[in-house]
Amino acid sequence: MADTLDMDAPPPFDLPMAAPVAPAPAPEAYRVLARKYRPQTFRQLIGQDAMVQTLGNAIKRDRLAHAFLMTGVRGVGKTSTARLIAKALNCVGPDGQGGPTIDPCGQCEPCRAIAEGRHIDVIEMDAASHTGVDDVREIIEASRYAAVAARFKIYIIDEVHMLSKNAFNALLKTLEEPPAHVKFLFATTEVNKVPITVLSRCQRFDLRRIPAEKLAEHFAKVCAAEGVTAEGEALALIARAAEGSARDGLSILDQAIAHAGLEGGGVSAEAVRQMLGLSDRGAVRDLFGLLLGGDAGGALASLRRQYDHGVDPVSVLRALMEMVHGVTLAKVGGADDPAQALEEREARRDWATRLSFPVLHRLWQLMLKGHDEVAQAALPIEAAEMALLRVIHASQLPDPGELARRIAEGGALAAPPAPAPAPAAPPVAPVSLIPADFPAMVEALDAANQLALVARLRQGARLVRYAPPELVFSGSRPMSADTLAELASALKTLTRQVWKITLDDVPGEPTLNEAEAAADEARRQAMLKTELVQAAMAAFPDAELVWNSQRSSM
């Protein structure tokens, strides 16, 4: 007989039933700081107070435009502003009875849906990937229908300048006379590429670059919210590197926090410099002082130390340009940058009292030229060294104003004085290196390939006295200061001796060109007096003596 199963009998083993185990919640994905701290209200939108005030007044007075255009550099809040305007226009308040407001509540369903990017009546389109007329035609067709769950149907078109010409033309009529329930919000970084016909139909807001001090304050609040310690100088460095863009600055700060986490400390200025490849401000001040002091060896060694620490040579030149600019602003009485260290401000004020405007302008031009050369050079560090040597050489040249004063006073216009010699007797140039007279000196310069200088001397130099190593020219026909300084330098190279060049208010001798022309004319007159030439002129009364001054013959 087969066994039967008693359904009412207890099971053979009385095991406790385990409670169902709920799956562990997935960890929330990390959001970068630029997304996490995106402005959710107009109060959180930093650096755009004028625009916020204009929008607030327009909402209060019910003078809302049908199309807005936000323009500015990347990361200043164009798309965020468009979303905030969408929230402001569609907010209904916590009780559901509110109207358009410059302070959306952030609690009602429209505010939350717009913030999360899921509102059915707020449509965002990236014009970079939807450039054609068909994409715009879809917007035109959909704009005819009323909003489903909001007060206004909002179209946010990012990078609107990427739309094609035909797409812009298709949008014009709807943009000029849209339905009452539709608002267009455009954002672009290149407003010059937007057709003027579109610009004329929009209310335009130019979002400004965010000042560095406001960015630094914002980054400090972000660090406090994230529980991260950061040096004030580090945040100032990040703010300057962001160049007015909050998004760029938050991305750099994100990277700096990650770096600090690996190092086990807060965000330090030194770590930010290494991360961004920036020069240490103290090293830049030292290098700038060496340049002004004419210490070529010390300047090159300082540059190499920074290069060995991973600093880009272009960054060094850029930092030196910032230094020259800062000293110039300090000289004109500009306000101090609160983000700078105290020793930085004191050093700039000290240099401002010792450097003239012509010197600062010349330094700026030299630094700017060096920066461009290094940026394009195949050998950046070598190009940077040559640029610094050029700055040192130029710093030792007399000021143009000083040269003009010396010319007016008839003073010496020699090359920059050489370092003081040792106590031993100064070396004397061999006699063979010193030309016998002024024409021989000009010939020697010509042989040394100083062609441009020789041409100016032959044309304009009226000699008063030639007594090597001294030259005196007539001041009645002044020569340029550059020519005199160039002559002093060339003679020093040619004769290995420093020459003293002065001007005297006397007529002086004729220039070499004038003397040669006079001698040539004398030879021509002598030739006309010869019997052969006179006989030829008598036989041919209309004949003319053609004189070749190069060959001194007919």
Side-chain angles (χ1 to χ4, degrees):
M1 182 175 180
D3 295 334
T4 60
L5 179 62
D6 187 359
M7 298 300 294
D8 297 326
F13 301 103
D14 191 10
L15 296 176
M17 297 296 292
V21 179
E28 184 178 356
Y30 175 72
R31 285 196 302 162
V32 297
L33 297 181
R35 293 186 58 197
K36 186 175 181 180
Y37 292 96
R38 183 181 291 237
Q40 298 300 319
T41 65
F42 281 104
R43 288 189 299 271
Q44 297 176 358
L45 192 66
I46 59 176
Q48 312 299 340
D49 298 337
M51 182 198 66
V52 173
Q53 181 178 359
T54 302
L55 283 173
N57 293 338
I59 291 175
K60 290 177 182 178
R61 299 175 183 178
D62 194 22
R63 298 178 62 89
L64 292 171
H66 57 270
F68 299 88
L69 175 70
M70 274 68 67
T71 179
V73 299
R74 80 252 175 241
V76 294
K78 299 183 295 297
T79 306
S80 296
T81 299
R83 292 173 180 172
L84 290 177
I85 293 176
K87 290 169 63 175
L89 298 182
N90 285 323
C91 177
V92 297
D95 58 357
Q97 303 300 317
T101 173
I102 195 64
D103 294 313
C105 66
Q107 302 175 11
C108 63
E109 176 58 24
C111 284
R112 288 187 285 109
I114 294 172
E116 296 170 6
R118 56 178 177 82
H119 200 290
I120 191 173
D121 292 317
V122 178
I123 300 95
E124 291 193 31
M125 187 183 86
D126 177 22
S129 54
H130 299 80
T131 63
V133 67
D134 291 337
D135 301 302
V136 171
R137 188 176 292 114
E138 292 181 8
I139 294 177
I140 297 173
E141 293 295 330
S143 65
R144 300 176 181 177
Y145 303 100
V148 176
R151 187 178 296 112
F152 294 102
K153 179 177 284 189
I154 308 277
Y155 289 97
I156 300 175
I157 304 181
D158 200 8
E159 299 300 336
V160 68
H161 66 273
M162 298 292 287
L163 288 178
S164 66
K165 181 179 180 179
N166 291 336
F168 274 124
N169 291 335
L171 186 61
L172 284 180
K173 187 61 178 178
T174 303
L175 186 61
E176 184 174 14
E177 298 178 0
H181 59 272
V182 173
K183 303 290 181 183
F184 289 98
L185 306 178
F186 301 142
T188 178
T189 54
E190 300 184 47
V191 69
N192 58 300
K193 293 184 179 180
V194 179
I196 189 65
T197 51
V198 173
L199 294 177
S200 64
R201 290 166 168 82
C202 300
Q203 191 172 96
R204 173 173 167 176
F205 292 103
D206 289 82
L207 278 67
R208 302 177 179 180
R209 290 181 185 269
I210 305 172
E213 56 270 18
K214 288 191 175 183
L215 282 178
E217 294 175 2
H218 179 58
F219 298 156
K221 295 177 182 177
V222 170
C223 288
E226 293 290 315
V228 176
T229 59
E231 296 178 1
E233 186 178 358
L235 297 180
L237 288 172
I238 295 174
R240 281 197 291 268
E243 298 181 344
S245 170
R247 183 174 63 237
D248 288 6
L250 288 173
S251 298
I252 298 172
L253 179 61
D254 221 339
Q255 183 180 355
I257 293 174
H259 180 76
L262 293 175
E263 297 293 331
V267 178
S268 66
E270 181 61 27
V272 172
R273 288 193 189 94
Q274 293 181 0
M275 184 182 71
L276 298 178
L278 300 176
S279 298
D280 177 68
R281 299 307 300 176
V284 172
R285 290 195 300 272
D286 293 342
L287 177 56
F288 191 66
L290 292 170
L291 292 175
L292 295 179
D295 187 351
L300 294 183
S302 175
L303 175 63
R304 280 287 177 175
R305 281 195 298 271
Q306 296 189 59
Y307 181 72
D308 293 339
H309 282 90
V311 180
D312 186 8
V314 175
S315 298
V316 177
L317 269 298
R318 185 183 299 115
L320 289 173
M321 290 174 61
E322 292 176 355
M323 183 66 70
V324 176
H325 178 257
V327 173
T328 307
L329 291 184
K331 191 169 184 65
V332 299
D336 291 332
D337 185 354
Q340 291 176 348
L342 178 61
E343 58 270 18
E344 178 87 2
R345 296 198 293 268
E346 291 178 348
R348 292 187 176 188
R349 283 195 292 265
D350 179 58
W351 280 319
T353 59
R354 293 191 284 127
L355 298 176
S356 66
F357 281 114
V359 170
L360 289 170
H361 295 327
R362 183 167 55 187
L363 283 173
W364 173 261
Q365 293 297 329
L366 291 168
M367 296 294 184
L368 181 62
K369 179 177 176 60
H371 176 274
D372 294 343
E373 290 177 352
V374 173
Q376 300 175 7
L379 301 172
I381 183 61
E382 287 79 1
E385 290 177 339
M386 296 302 295
L388 295 188
L389 290 175
R390 184 168 59 223
V391 171
I392 292 173
H393 173 71
S395 68
Q396 297 176 347
L397 292 177
D399 183 83
E402 179 67 15
L403 287 176
R405 185 185 64 79
R406 292 184 186 180
I407 292 175
E409 297 177 357
L413 288 172
V428 179
V431 177
S432 60
L433 295 179
I434 298 179
D437 52 23
F438 181 64
M441 183 200 80
V442 174
E443 290 181 4
L445 292 173
D446 186 70
N449 206 29
Q450 296 285 344
L451 304 182
L453 177 60
V454 167
R456 295 196 294 271
L457 291 175
R458 294 182 64 88
Q459 178 69 26
R462 296 183 181 274
L463 182 68
V464 174
R465 184 171 64 257
Y466 181 78
E470 182 182 2
L471 265 176
V472 181
F473 291 114
S474 171
S476 62
R477 187 175 180 179
M479 301 171 62
S480 69
D482 291 341
T483 298
L484 296 177
E486 185 180 351
L487 175 60
S489 177
L491 289 176
K492 180 180 178 182
T493 303
L494 184 66
T495 65
R496 304 177 190 173
Q497 194 165 353
V498 176
W499 286 61
K500 180 181 179 181
I501 306 176
T502 57
L503 297 176
D504 196 357
D505 193 16
V506 294
E509 301 176 3
T511 66
L512 292 180
N513 283 354
E514 291 172 346
E516 290 181 0
D520 192 61
E521 179 61 22
R523 289 192 295 270
R524 182 176 180 276
Q525 293 299 327
M527 180 67 69
L528 286 172
K529 293 178 182 179
T530 62
E531 294 182 2
L532 177 62
V533 174
Q534 288 184 352
M537 298 294 287
F540 303 97
D542 295 332
E544 181 181 357
L545 177 64
V546 178
W547 184 259
N548 189 333
S549 61
Q550 297 292 331
R551 300 172 57 185
S552 298
S553 62
M554 292 185 291

